[in-house]
Amino acid sequence: MSSRVIPSHGRDGETALEITPPVRFRSAILASALGAAWLLTGACDGRPLSSLSGGAGGPGADGGADLPQDGRCGPTPRLLVSASTYPVSASSGGLAVNVGALRVNGAEVYYVIYIVQTDFPSMPYLAGSVMRVPAGGGQPTQVATGYVFEPPVFTPTSVILGEGNAYPNTGQMIIVSVPFDGGPPTTLATLTDGDSLLGDPVTDGTFVYFVDRGGVQAISLASASAGTAPMTLTSEVPSNIGIFATRLVMTFPQGSVESIPLPPGAAGMVTTLATGLPPGAKDLMSCGSNACWLAGDSALEELSPMGGPTTTIATLTGPLASVLNVVFDGTSFFVVGDADYPATTDNIETIPGNGGSPVVVVSTPSLGAGAIAVDDECVYWSSSKGIFSLAKTARGQRSQ
């Protein structure tokens, strides 16, 4: 999930950084005020959600039907993390709590908790958390907390996080590297006052690349601790970036695609790969040796990072007319969306990588849904009930 940071006013009249949720998430917050399970009202007193709904691993309001299950994934949806265990720390008022991003790293699933204060007119983000849990089930572990976090990316030794100040705190947004072994985090980059990440950072294990208002930036992981300033690769401001072998591919809101040679400083200039495409590209990802993305919320597009024609792999209609997120596992796309918005049910479908008819594999409660990830065996997704897994080979519609 990409988000943007805009100025807002703190309780004492000072300027704070507020991350604006995507339209779909914000609309879901409003709809959930009618009684959805993931909207909390009343005092939380700094307690985790588990204390409000039966305790972590204990029976919830449904008598224990949504307890986490053992096993990595199987032919039916398995609850990996119950929503009752999401960490929440706030004073009082209405809170909307959601998993905004899922990422798999090795044998662990990382998830980002977003918390919105719904009884404030601007609905600001409060301090959230980055958590991880074994893919086969187990106790969740907190990786970081106290900020509003971008989706994590990984190097062989660390997790990279974009950290924004949560309402009503002020300060600069930073990018940090947190070692897997639990050592202290290293600040890689500090954005200028009022600036923000304008898309998810990416890394090739040597550099971290990110977009701010100054353009596309690169910071060396080896020299970041010495206070080296980021290198500006281009002053253009794309909506998505991705690494494809020796090219950094960029998609732009108006419907163009460009690339920059890597590593930073390599000979060559910005190359235009395509223009005149449907606007609003998102979910830029590798699909084999090519770059793929969701264009205009309805078409999966494919393009070689070296240039050439753009190919439409699939046009999404029917149960996926309104798409939330798309991921690719090397063979197939997994898409989460619904027939229209607002909707009470979201669908997860799989589409062959070379195109073909989508197959619905899961129908899930709409509120709180949207985050999705895959590994070699499983597909993972979030809903208002928690985080679930399912074997990627499962076929035939299932309700969750």
Side-chain angles (χ1 to χ4, degrees):
M1 179 186 81
S2 296
S3 49
R4 60 188 180 90
V5 181
I6 61 174
S8 66
H9 295 290
R11 291 187 176 125
D12 298 324
E14 58 189 355
T15 299
L17 288 180
E18 175 191 335
I19 293 188
T20 300
V23 173
R24 181 66 182 270
F25 182 34
R26 185 178 286 269
S27 300
I29 292 168
L30 295 174
S32 65
L34 298 177
W38 59 296
L39 178 70
L40 309 180
T41 56
C44 288
D45 304 323
R47 292 174 288 168
L49 278 176
S50 56
S51 66
L52 302 177
S53 54
D62 58 1
D66 286 334
L67 298 182
Q69 300 161 296
D70 293 330
R72 186 173 173 192
C73 58
T76 59
R78 293 186 175 184
L79 183 63
L80 188 62
V81 181
S82 172
S84 67
T85 67
Y86 294 165
V88 176
S89 179
S91 53
S92 62
L95 300 178
V97 184
N98 194 25
V99 173
L102 282 173
R103 297 291 188 270
V104 179
N105 184 56
E108 293 183 307
V109 178
Y110 284 68
Y111 54 102
V112 182
I113 301 294
Y114 294 97
I115 304 173
V116 175
Q117 185 103 32
T118 57
D119 56 356
F120 276 42
S122 61
M123 293 197 298
Y125 270 78
L126 305 182
S129 302
V130 178
M131 309 289 292
R132 68 172 184 248
V133 65
Q139 184 67 31
T141 301
Q142 184 172 276
V143 177
T145 191
Y147 295 91
V148 181
F149 295 96
E150 294 291 327
V153 294
F154 307 98
T155 74
T157 60
S158 66
V159 54
I160 308 298
L161 298 172
E163 297 181 348
N165 283 279
Y167 182 87
N169 297 326
T170 61
Q172 296 166 297
M173 192 168 193
I174 61 175
I175 300 174
V176 300
S177 174
V178 182
F180 292 137
D181 63 9
T186 299
T187 298
L188 302 178
T190 301
L191 278 63
T192 58
D193 285 334
D195 204 349
S196 63
L197 291 174
L198 301 180
D200 300 342
V202 296
T203 183
D204 57 9
T206 303
F207 289 85
V208 174
Y209 305 89
F210 62 95
V211 182
D212 62 14
R213 294 174 185 172
V216 179
Q217 315 290 343
I219 185 73
S220 169
L221 288 167
S223 61
S225 59
T228 304
M231 178 192 313
T232 300
L233 304 186
T234 175
S235 60
E236 295 182 293
V237 180
S239 53
N240 300 273
I241 58 174
I243 298 170
F244 301 85
T246 59
R247 310 291 296 185
L248 183 75
V249 174
M250 307 173 290
T251 64
F252 292 84
Q254 71 273 21
S256 61
V257 183
E258 299 178 356
S259 70
I260 303 174
L262 296 178
M269 301 177 64
V270 174
T271 300
T272 298
L273 302 180
T275 59
L277 301 176
K282 65 179 182 179
D283 290 335
L284 179 63
M285 71 200 91
S286 296
C287 51
S289 60
N290 290 336
C292 290
W293 65 91
L294 181 67
D297 287 335
S298 63
L300 280 172
E301 304 283 350
E302 181 178 20
L303 176 68
S304 167
M306 303 307 294
T310 301
T311 302
T312 299
I313 299 173
T315 299
L316 306 175
T317 59
L320 290 179
S322 177
V323 177
L324 290 171
N325 279 301
V326 183
V327 292
F328 185 71
D329 71 348
T331 302
S332 301
F333 295 94
F334 288 81
V335 187
V336 56
D338 54 51
D340 200 1
Y341 187 78
T344 58
T345 300
D346 280 330
N347 301 296
I348 297 175
E349 295 195 4
T350 179
I351 302 172
N354 59 356
S357 300
V359 176
V360 177
V361 293
V362 174
S363 294
T364 182
S366 179
L367 294 175
I372 189 170
V374 290
D375 60 18
D376 59 327
E377 293 185 7
C378 311
V379 55
Y380 307 88
W381 70 93
S382 65
S383 79
S384 57
K385 295 181 179 181
I387 299 170
F388 289 79
S389 66
L390 179 71
K392 294 191 303 182
T393 55
R395 293 295 183 269
Q397 185 168 348
R398 294 157 176 80
S399 296
Q400 169 262 308

